[in-house]
């Protein structure tokens, strides 16, 4: 009797290799197993490129001269329901049917309307045995960004900030003072490379003049987003250097200048975080890091429009300062990063949507 969970967890490991490169698609991993031996592996590597299932099958053909015969007697494991529609690539369900695989084991269904249940039904109608629900919750969590975009029509929102050991976020005199060490900074840049966009408010842009890039890590730069209602920010700031796609949400104008896009919002002060997230959803931005400052972070916290928070706590103490935001739930995990403490929170209200799905 095969241990489906062992194979599916390998699929989930493979799926996460696509973090930061496949959005707005989901991360998917796949295995081909013959007589309890893995004979092929694949994952979705890049948006617009081949999905996990064809990569796993290609791996079998690259390794075995009798691949066609092996596939007919094999079980395919895949972390998300095989697609059943023509997109940028052909339907994966059709490929599995073409090779007459014996069985397909799926972690969870794809919530996307054009797939949800249809890929499974297509396989079953072709006579392929389908088992679903193996490591279901783990698979949905891996694809929490994709599930949020599809089910809530907004990006997955990740809050991130640093605070002192006694809970201060920034000096009251608006000067710059580092709270965390170099390891935390490198990890922050790694996180940036994994998400689609990063957002700051006008005060942070003016005081810190951030680049919002991944210069301390290898990977793609996220789209930069700044909230600047009256377009008061000076053009010499790093945000306007045209090196990275940058979006300025404002109340004055809509205009496109090479890599710089201005988007005017009507009724700017009314439901601002909702308007921002809706506009980003229309641009296929699947995940968003909100890096501050306190006013901007609280904007999303007060609206309940956040999914995950990653908070660094340094080992420094300040006599006074601007207090860091507080979240109304206990932390999920805590981890030491050099001299700093990294704490993760999850908004359970936000997560309830895809938990009901699985």
């Amino acid at each position: 009797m095969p241990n489906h969970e062992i194979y599916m967890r390998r699929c989930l490991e493979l799926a996460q290799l696509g973090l930061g490169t496949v959005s707005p698609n989901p991360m998917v991993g796949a295995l081909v197993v013959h007589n309890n031996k893995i004979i092929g592996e694949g994952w979705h590597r890049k948006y617009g490129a081949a999905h996990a299932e064809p990569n796993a099958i290609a791996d079998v053909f690259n390794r075995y001269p009798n691949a066609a015969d092996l596939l007919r007697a094999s079980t395919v494991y895949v972390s998300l329901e095989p697609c059943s529609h023509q997109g940028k690539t052909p339907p994966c369900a059709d490929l599995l049917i073409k090779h007459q695989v014996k069985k397909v084991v799926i972690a969870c269904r794809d919530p996307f309307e054009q797939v949800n249940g249809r890929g499974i039904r297509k396989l079953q109608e072709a006579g392929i045995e389908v088992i679903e629900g193996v490591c279901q919750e783990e698979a949905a969590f891996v694809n929490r960004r994709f599930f949020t975009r599809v089910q809530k029509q907004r990006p997955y929102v990740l809050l991130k900030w640093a605070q002192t050991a006694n809970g201060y976020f920034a000096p009251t005199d608006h000067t710059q003072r580092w709270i965390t060490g170099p390891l935390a900074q490198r990890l922050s840049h790694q996180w940036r490379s994994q998400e689609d966009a990063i957002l700051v408010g006008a005060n942070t842009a003016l005081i810190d003049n951030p680049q919002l890039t991944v210069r301390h890590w290898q990977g793609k730069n996220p789209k930069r987003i700044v909230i600047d209602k009256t377009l008061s920010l000076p053009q010499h700031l790093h945000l306007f250097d045209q090196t990275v796609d940058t979006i300025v949400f404002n109340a004055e104008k809509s205009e496109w200048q090479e890599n710089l896009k201005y988007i005017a919002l009507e009724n700017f002060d009314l439901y601002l975080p909702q308007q921002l997230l809706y506009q980003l959803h229309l641009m296929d931005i699947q995940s968003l890091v909100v890096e501050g400052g306190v006013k901007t972070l609280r904007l999303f916290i007060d609206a309940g429009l956040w999914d995950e928070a990653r908070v660094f706590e340094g080992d420094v103490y300040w006599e006074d300062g601007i207090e860091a935001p507080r979240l109304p739930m206990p932390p999920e995990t805590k981890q030491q990063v050099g001299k700093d403490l990294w704490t993760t929170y999850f908004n359970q209200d936000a997560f309830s949507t895809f938990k009901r799905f699985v």
Side-chain angles (χ1 to χ4, degrees):
M1 187 74 178
N3 190 326
H4 295 317
E5 290 189 359
I6 290 177
Y7 294 126
M8 191 58 73
R9 288 201 169 94
R10 175 57 180 162
C11 285
L12 294 175
E13 289 177 354
L14 292 170
Q16 291 174 86
L17 296 175
L19 182 58
T21 61
V22 303
S23 176
N25 281 354
M27 297 178 286
V28 184
L31 300 179
V32 180
V33 177
H34 181 267
N35 288 342
N36 296 321
K37 176 185 175 183
I38 297 173
I39 61 171
E41 294 188 333
W43 68 93
H44 186 28
R45 295 170 179 262
K46 185 179 179 181
Y47 176 67
H51 290 182
E53 298 93 325
N55 284 336
I57 288 174
D59 191 33
V60 178
F61 276 95
N62 288 334
R63 294 164 62 180
Y64 299 94
N66 60 334
D69 294 333
L70 290 173
L71 285 167
R72 283 193 290 270
S74 293
T75 297
V76 172
Y77 289 80
V78 60
S79 60
L80 191 70
E81 177 181 6
C83 61
S84 56
H85 67 294
Q86 177 71 46
K88 288 186 176 293
T89 60
C92 294
D94 289 359
L95 181 68
L96 299 177
I97 293 168
K98 172 187 173 182
H99 289 289
Q100 299 176 294
V101 301
K102 184 179 178 181
K103 184 187 299 183
V104 177
V105 180
I106 298 166
C108 61
R109 294 193 177 199
D110 188 330
F112 186 54
E113 184 179 1
Q114 289 182 275
V115 180
N116 194 347
R118 297 181 184 182
I120 291 171
R121 186 164 59 251
K122 183 177 280 192
L123 294 172
Q124 291 172 331
E125 289 173 352
I128 296 173
E129 180 184 354
V130 177
I131 298 174
E132 58 175 308
V134 178
C135 299
Q136 190 169 241
E137 290 192 8
E138 296 97 318
F141 181 76
V142 165
N143 269 318
R144 58 195 183 276
R145 298 164 180 82
F146 175 72
F147 274 62
T148 298
R149 181 178 73 88
V150 173
Q151 295 178 323
K152 296 196 169 188
Q153 289 78 55
R154 67 163 175 81
Y156 184 85
V157 178
L158 197 163
L159 310 179
K160 183 263 173 183
W161 73 83
Q163 62 187 48
T164 66
N166 55 339
Y168 290 120
F169 179 91
T172 54
D173 61 3
H174 302 304
T175 58
Q176 283 186 292
R177 291 171 66 183
W178 283 104
I179 294 174
T180 56
L183 286 179
Q185 186 181 41
R186 282 178 58 83
L187 184 56
S188 296
H189 284 223
Q190 180 186 7
W191 291 341
R192 289 178 182 179
S193 74
Q194 297 168 347
E195 312 302 338
D196 289 350
I198 182 169
L199 179 146
V200 296
N203 286 339
T204 297
L206 184 62
I207 295 167
D208 295 346
N209 191 17
Q211 297 181 56
L212 303 184
T213 62
V214 298
R215 59 197 178 279
H216 297 302
W217 191 261
Q218 292 183 340
K220 68 172 181 62
N221 289 313
K223 294 181 186 297
R224 302 184 296 201
I225 300 169
V226 62
I227 303 171
D228 183 15
K229 180 179 179 179
T230 61
L231 298 179
S232 61
L233 291 173
Q235 292 297 300
H236 65 76
L237 296 178
H238 292 308
L239 288 175
F240 303 116
D241 62 12
Q242 295 280 3
T243 61
V244 179
D245 286 346
T246 302
I247 300 166
V248 182
F249 285 109
N250 67 91
E252 304 291 332
K253 68 176 182 180
S254 293
E255 187 177 293
W256 198 329
Q257 303 172 3
E258 298 181 16
N259 288 337
L260 184 59
K261 180 182 291 187
Y262 293 89
I263 298 179
L265 300 176
E266 294 185 13
N267 302 315
F268 187 91
D269 296 314
L270 186 64
Y271 301 114
L272 179 56
Q274 289 88 341
Q275 289 194 72
L276 293 177
L277 294 180
Y278 178 67
Q279 291 293 330
L280 297 179
H281 171 72
L282 294 179
M283 289 183 270
D284 272 342
I285 291 176
Q286 184 162 265
S287 61
L288 172 70
V289 181
V290 179
E291 281 209 2
V294 169
K295 180 181 176 182
T296 302
L297 288 163
R298 286 178 179 155
L299 189 70
F300 287 87
I301 293 170
D302 292 346
L305 289 172
W306 66 279
D307 302 284
E308 182 176 344
R310 298 174 186 172
V311 181
F312 282 121
E313 183 179 297
D315 63 349
V316 297
Y317 288 82
W318 293 352
E319 291 185 2
D320 61 9
I322 298 170
E323 290 190 0
R326 297 180 183 274
L327 298 173
M329 72 277 297
E332 189 79 18
T333 61
K334 292 190 175 186
Q335 184 176 338
Q336 203 68 33
V337 180
K339 294 183 178 181
D340 307 312
L341 182 66
W342 158 26
T343 302
T344 300
Y345 299 82
F346 289 109
N347 184 350
Q348 296 304 322
D349 290 339
F351 271 59
S352 64
T353 298
F354 79 67
K355 283 192 174 181
R356 282 197 300 270
F357 175 81
V358 301

